[in-house]
Amino acid sequence: MQKKRVVFNYPPHVVEQPVISKLVKEFDLTVNILRARISPKEEGRLVLEITGKRQALEAGIHYIRELGVEIQSLAQDVKWHEDRCTHCTACISACPPRALDVNRQTMEVSFNRDKCIACEACIPVCPYQAMEILF
Ligand code: SF4
Ligand code: SF4
């Protein structure tokens, strides 16, 4: 089994198509919607976690691309500006999956983008605007 966290950017002509249910039914994938911003007849954005067998995942993503949906890794859309981070740790307890974590010995904060679910909980608690989510 493989898991991918991705962002789907929908063009208007795809927004009303049952894309997610096709991924589930035809490709036997499990789809967890982390965030959604979709309006009828307008462009839309979904942040998803997709789980399934490697070949099924590749086939499903190929199918989505063929529809004209632009797909990118979630990691590209979440930025930790390390140069702004003062390692104050204010964000640590706010981050549900512990994508932001602190080494208790050195008190250095680190960001693991593979764990991030783009929930935005860190944005309001960071006094230095060190976290940025580009959607
Ligand atoms: S967006 Fe959510 S999951 Fe990602 S680092 Fe911020 S609080 Fe953690
Ligand atoms: S709240 Fe902001 S400045 Fe403080 S540790 Fe987290 S990312 Fe760094």
Side-chain angles (χ1 to χ4, degrees), residues 78 91 94-100 111-113 115-123 125 131 133:
V78 181
C91 56
C95 178
R98 299 194 76 83
L100 284 158
F111 173 55
N112 182 341
R113 56 184 75 242
K115 289 187 180 174
C116 177
I117 56 170
C119 68
E120 295 191 8
C122 54
I123 302 291
V125 301
M131 295 304 295
I133 297 190

Side-chain angles (χ1 to χ4, degrees), residues 66-94:
E66 291 285 295
L67 287 176
V69 176
E70 196 185 297
I71 302 175
Q72 66 198 62
S73 154
L74 174 61
Q76 291 176 12
D77 273 5
V78 181
K79 292 207 184 305
W80 177 47
H81 297 284
E82 195 170 352
D83 55 330
R84 293 184 202 160
C85 178
T86 61
H87 303 265
C88 70
T89 73
C91 56
I92 303 302
S93 59

